[in-house]
Amino acid sequence: MSIRHGLLALLERGPRYGSRLRTEFEARTGSTWPLNIGQVYTTLARLERDGLVVQQGADEAGHVLYALTDAGRSELRSWFIRPVERSNLPRDELAIKLAVAVGAPGADIRATVEAQRRYLSESMHTYTRLRARALAEAPAHRDEVARLFVLEHLIFRAEAEIRWLDHCEARLLRLAEAAATEPPLPPSPPQTPPA
């Protein structure tokens, strides 16, 4: 997730101070990815260093306001049309857990799959309830639509992971059935000690 570009997008609406950017970012993303205020100010300092934002005075309360520069606007436009690369994927703990459990003698892979499926189903129901509540309020504001995008992303992601778990479980069942019908290997011939 690009906090850097998220802040640039919020600044396109006009000058903002750090804690307001944090609040707007969390509102826009449905508080799914909470930001630390220190992270906001560190990012703003980097954006300023890179010439993408400038300090533009202060508001009545004395908050330093940041504004987008032309270079910042250009960077934001480029980011909007650039595809999100999926080549450097982060390590996925669930995929690693299942991969190593296949060869671990004491692991109950089916129990692992079922526990994860149950967790995802509960999460999906929570996200679906939140989406239904948001839809009942007839989203008319961009922040409400943005929140729906995030909630629906989480729902679709959970659905995809549940399908993947179903696939893994089916593969394990086929493997177990194949192993049960294979004839046993012939015993190895006795080895003679070297002379």
Side-chain angles (χ1 to χ4, degrees):
M1 175 189 59
S2 178
I3 294 166
R4 170 184 175 95
H5 291 97
L7 295 182
L8 288 176
L10 293 171
L11 286 170
E12 189 173 36
R13 297 169 95 181
R16 305 275 194 276
Y17 56 89
S19 59
R20 181 171 175 193
L21 285 167
R22 175 184 172 215
T23 301
E24 289 182 15
F25 182 90
E26 290 180 357
R28 194 64 75 85
T29 60
S31 298
T32 304
W33 299 291
L35 287 180
N36 176 308
I37 193 64
Q39 191 176 19
V40 171
Y41 281 107
T42 300
T43 304
L44 285 170
R46 288 185 187 129
L47 290 169
E48 187 176 17
R49 177 200 67 201
D50 296 343
L52 303 176
V53 301
V54 292
Q55 290 187 22
Q56 193 176 66
D59 67 4
E60 313 80 49
H63 298 113
V64 175
L65 296 172
Y66 292 85
L68 206 54
T69 65
D70 288 340
R73 241 178 232 91
S74 177
E75 172 61 24
L76 184 59
R77 296 287 168 261
S78 291
W79 180 65
F80 281 141
I81 62 170
R82 199 169 42 237
V84 176
E85 292 184 23
R86 302 285 192 208
S87 56
N88 293 327
L89 296 176
R91 289 183 183 95
D92 184 290
E93 184 179 352
L94 179 59
I96 292 169
K97 186 187 291 190
L98 291 181
V100 298
V102 169
D108 183 347
I109 301 171
R110 291 186 71 190
T112 302
V113 167
E114 187 51 41
Q116 187 69 25
R117 187 180 5 242
R118 195 170 32 257
Y119 166 78
L120 289 167
S121 292
E122 290 167 6
S123 297
M124 196 166 56
H125 290 302
T126 300
Y127 301 144
T128 302
R129 277 193 303 276
L130 290 171
R131 180 180 64 177
R133 194 174 316 145
L135 287 171
E137 298 166 2
H141 191 270
R142 289 176 187 232
D143 288 349
E144 294 163 353
V145 173
R147 184 168 184 256
L148 278 171
F149 283 169
V150 172
L151 286 170
E152 289 167 341
H153 170 76
L154 294 170
I155 291 166
F156 296 149
R157 191 173 177 172
E159 287 174 347
E161 194 162 295
I162 289 171
R163 282 195 316 272
W164 176 69
L165 289 170
D166 292 345
H167 172 78
C168 290
E169 187 173 47
R171 183 173 301 282
L172 289 169
L173 288 172
R174 285 192 304 272
L175 183 64
E177 289 169 0
T181 59
E182 285 181 8
L185 293 173
S188 301
Q191 294 190 4
T192 55

